[in-house]
Amino acid sequence: MIRSAILAVLMLGAAPAALAQDATAAHGHQHAAFASDRIHVRVDGDLDGRDIILIPGLSSSPEIWQETVDHLTAQDGVGWRVHRIHVQGFAGAPAEGNAQTGDAPGLVAAPVAEEIARYIRENNLSRPAVVGHSMGGTIGLMLAARHPDLVGRLMVVDMVPFMGAMFGPPGTTAESVTPVADQIWAAQANSPREAYIPQATTAINGMINTESRREEALEDMRESDQKVSAAAFRELIVTDLRPELSKITAPTEVLYVKFNDPRMTPELTDTIYRMSFADLSGAQLKRIDDSAHFIMFDQPEAFYTELDAFLAR
């Protein structure tokens, strides 16, 4: 029923280590001295402050969090050390370890989650807060479920734990949806750029109501490795995290919007989210109205209000 809506949403959707210039990424930022071929990390804010990790979504740049970083670092009396994840292959970063070299797609989200876990350990971060948007929410759920000792609290922004459920009838499993996911992978990975870019542009425009914010997301898409994005999207469809939710011990909040489908009501969306996160004890679910997928773009003040309250609890 809402398969097309979900596809549109996600097609695209002790002290830290010393900072060092990352010569492999020509972004002009200072990056944490953390050797990985899956991610690199930008650190901003108060280097003695509380730690928060921000994970962007599919094909997105860490720059989608810039206003969030500005908000966090401008707070009086609250020091935040902000770690922004950049997934290799997305938004201009070389694909490196996430490169898709064969006919079959490899994993992206799961290895990235493991690298973030290693980053937390190697930098002696003490149970940081983790905020993930879209695919970043999936990665946050993986991190919190598979390494519950590492995450202090988790906010998931507009993501369900099993996206594959939207691509089949009731009772759909990761196994039964795999043929569909494989077809989507093949179509996206092999589509000529002159066909892929307009389709992805239409999808992204539907994810952001605020027209002035669309171009930055579109640029991220255009600068992303098409096969890395396609492989990551396939992985999201076949990954069912519902059996792992009970392993999460960190306080968790899920922000979401009404599905972008005229047949879906806010109440139906609420029901889907409640059922999806039923096994995550104590999770708080909050629908943000008058927003598309990029809540931090469309409803920034509502997003900051929820984020501040969540971090203060």
Side-chain angles (χ1 to χ4, degrees):
M1 179 178 179
I2 56 174
R3 185 179 310 171
S4 61
I6 296 297
L7 181 60
V9 165
L10 284 163
M11 180 179 170
L12 291 175
L19 298 182
Q21 187 67 31
D22 186 343
T24 65
H27 307 300
H29 302 323
Q30 293 292 316
H31 296 140
F34 175 71
S36 172
D37 64 355
R38 295 281 186 172
I39 63 172
H40 58 276
V41 186
R42 179 178 177 180
V43 182
D44 299 284
D46 182 354
L47 297 185
D48 295 318
R50 294 169 60 191
D51 291 301
I52 183 169
I53 296 174
L54 304 179
I55 312 173
L58 187 64
S59 303
S60 287
S61 161
E63 294 302 315
I64 71 161
W65 296 115
Q66 186 58 54
E67 287 77 12
T68 303
V69 173
D70 293 342
H71 171 78
L72 289 170
T73 55
Q75 294 178 357
D76 292 334
V78 181
W80 287 103
R81 180 168 57 192
V82 184
H83 309 258
R84 276 187 274 182
I85 304 300
H86 196 154
V87 176
Q88 299 301 136
F90 290 170
E96 298 184 358
N98 294 325
Q100 305 298 307
T101 56
D103 293 333
L107 298 178
V108 178
V112 164
E114 292 304 306
E115 285 296 84
I116 297 173
R118 184 168 68 87
Y119 176 80
I120 292 171
R121 290 194 181 100
E122 291 188 4
N123 287 278
N124 298 313
L125 305 187
S126 179
R127 295 179 62 82
V130 176
V131 180
H133 173 246
S134 192
M135 173 181 158
T138 296
I139 293 170
L141 288 168
M142 290 176 172
L143 180 65
R146 297 169 187 178
H147 304 277
D149 58 314
L150 297 183
V151 178
R153 57 187 57 243
L154 172 66
M155 175 173 278
V156 175
V157 184
D158 211 40
M159 189 58 176
V160 291
F162 179 38
M163 199 180 75
M166 308 302 180
F167 289 80
T172 292
T173 65
E175 292 75 20
S176 67
V177 81
T178 294
V180 175
D182 288 343
Q183 292 174 3
I184 293 172
W185 145 258
Q188 291 188 356
N190 300 314
S191 177
R193 292 294 282 179
E194 60 269 22
Y196 177 82
I197 295 297
Q199 292 172 353
T201 296
T202 298
I204 289 176
N205 284 340
M207 300 181 200
I208 304 170
N209 290 341
T210 308
E211 292 185 13
S212 62
R213 301 305 304 268
R214 288 175 178 171
E215 179 53 34
E216 56 198 280
L218 292 171
E219 182 178 2
D220 286 347
M221 175 271 294
R222 292 191 294 264
E223 293 186 352
S224 292
D225 184 295
Q226 184 172 326
K227 287 194 173 183
V228 174
S229 294
F233 186 61
R234 177 198 177 275
E235 182 182 0
L236 293 177
I237 297 173
V238 301
T239 298
D240 186 358
L241 293 176
R242 292 174 299 181
E244 299 185 53
L245 294 180
S246 62
K247 300 177 183 178
I248 296 176
T249 58
T252 301
E253 180 165 341
V254 181
L255 302 182
Y256 62 95
V257 301
K258 186 186 83 66
F259 289 118
N260 185 21
D261 186 312
R263 295 165 293 181
M264 294 299 295
T265 65
E267 293 74 21
L268 282 174
T269 302
D270 293 344
T271 298
I272 290 171
Y273 268 87
R274 282 197 302 269
M275 293 175 60
S276 296
F277 285 94
D279 291 331
L280 181 47
S281 178
Q284 298 193 24
L285 307 180
K286 172 72 173 181
R287 189 183 73 243
I288 303 297
D289 292 326
D290 301 317
S291 177
H293 184 53
F294 282 73
I295 297 174
M296 67 286 281
F297 286 1
D298 286 337
Q299 291 293 340
E301 294 307 317
F303 176 71
Y304 302 150
T305 295
E306 293 298 325
L307 179 63
D308 290 348
F310 178 65
L311 294 175
R313 283 197 287 269

